[in-house]
Amino acid sequence: MHTVVVGTSGVTASDVLAVARGGARIELSEKAVAALAAARGIVDRLAAKPDPVYGVSTGFGALATRHISPELRAQLQRNIVRSHAAGMGPRVEREVVRALMFLRLKTVCSGHTGVRPEVARTMADVLNAGITPVVHEYGSLGCSGDLAPLSHCALTLLGEGDAEGPDGVVRPAGELLAEHGIAPVELREKEGLALLNGTDGMLGMLVMALADLDTLYKSADITAALSLEALLGTDKVLAPELHAIRPHPGQAAAAANMLAVLEGSELTGHHQDDAPRVQDAYSVRCAPQVAGAGRDTMAHARLVAERELASAVDNPVVLPDGRVESNGNFHGAPVAYVLDFLAIAAADLASIAERRTDRLLDKNRSHGLPPFLADDPGVDSGLMIAQYTQAALVSELKRLAVPASADSIPSSAMQEDHVSMGWSAARKLRTAVDNLTRVVAVELYAATRAVELREGLAPAPASRAVIEAARKAGVRGPGPDRFLAPDLAAADAFVRDGRLVAAAETVTGPLR
């Protein structure tokens, strides 16, 4: 099994994916263990002094004005975990919780939190055992970190609350720890606070969304190319020299992908109408510009994610010179903004895909295709309602594009009076990515059927490879009306697991 070694300088996106989705094992580097011990020594020395230090010998948030005596400090750290584990609503997905815990461990191992090495080892042991704390949908405002979600994770380290075992069964966390020989943690000064004060949930969801969107944008280029073929459009608008004079890198990549898919097609550029087209509609002609803008948005989001993956997000933090200082680095604004940007881009990509699908189904705009791509129009309805489903998904995506990060709601007796709502931005982006996948799947379903209905002219070799792979995957082709939901589900799976991109790339080579 793949092993990820956590050091002091952060982790990579591939590390997050390996742990969250691939079940990779985790080890702590010797350097990380040494940094943990050194930072803990600083905290212990400060704890022994009479001067109040936030998070070490004081209360939290609006209660930070109270100095806590040494005999109550362990109780203080337990209490913050218990009281902050106040989430409600549906359970969060296993991969999100694993990413959340792993990224908290990343910050702990930076040597800036003051957490003891044994606490970090316990975090790694829980992940390696396949134990997943039960975390709920609601409870984070994206400021002072993803407090409630991280608190539910910390509660598991204490042997309290519920968690899911490697068998998928939810049980008391204490039982699961005992079964795997993991001793519950006894928290000391600052450790409770350090376990729940970070942007780890929203960052984990950003990393996974970027991975999913990378595949989806390639998928959308392929389905746009198929629609262009089916509509007898021109591929001249994809020429590299046209995109070189507007040098947005994402646009050039999208155009190059579409051109690669269309190479060798006999369908492009025919314009078989009584009045030949001078230009294709925007949804066809401007596909690279829209998909390209989304790609460039992803590039910015990836930069933000890389910076956050290299960060130590905690409050207070232990500095190398021995100071323990309060700060605002836990604020989720940088991550929240790009999560919202990606939801906007996803909605627009879905919108243009739906417009192409509608064009394929409209006999007045499809240039010779049967109404709704039906076998016997009037007796058969064809893909009429598949487009309704796609339109409903696009409408939902537009609602999800409303930015969460533009909102703020004060909390903690006005101490935390401006929050990022980054967790909410991440949760809605996950829904947006799911819905975009379905929208692309419907365009794939319509476009492959439409290409096959163009008799006498051969599609591009890459298009043929996609159609053949889709048919083998249960995405059925033209014919009389049938129960459509299973076909659409097969198309969704074909896009979602990357088989669409893989099929095209057997001919085109790696797409950009």
Side-chain angles (χ1 to χ4, degrees), residues 204-274:
M205 287 186 273
L206 172 60
V207 169
M208 289 186 283
L210 285 167
D212 294 338
L213 287 168
D214 185 65
T215 299
L216 271 175
Y217 270 80
K218 294 173 186 174
S219 301
D221 291 340
I222 296 165
T223 58
L226 286 163
S227 291
L228 185 151
E229 269 192 300
L231 292 167
L232 306 175
T234 178
D235 58 359
K236 290 182 179 180
V237 297
L238 304 174
E241 57 270 26
L242 293 175
H243 299 279
I245 62 176
R246 194 189 190 195
H248 293 287
Q251 177 179 321
N257 284 349
M258 290 181 66
L259 202 58
V261 171
L262 292 169
E263 185 175 355
S265 176
E266 295 179 2
L267 288 166
T268 57
H270 282 271
H271 297 324
Q272 294 174 349
D273 300 306
D274 293 335

Side-chain angles (χ1 to χ4, degrees), residues 11 13 203 206-207 210 300-311 334-335 338:
V11 297
L203 176 58
L206 172 60
V207 169
L210 285 167
H300 172 61
R302 195 170 286 114
L303 176 62
V304 171
E306 289 168 356
R307 290 170 175 165
E308 198 75 358
L309 288 168
S311 300
V335 181
V338 294

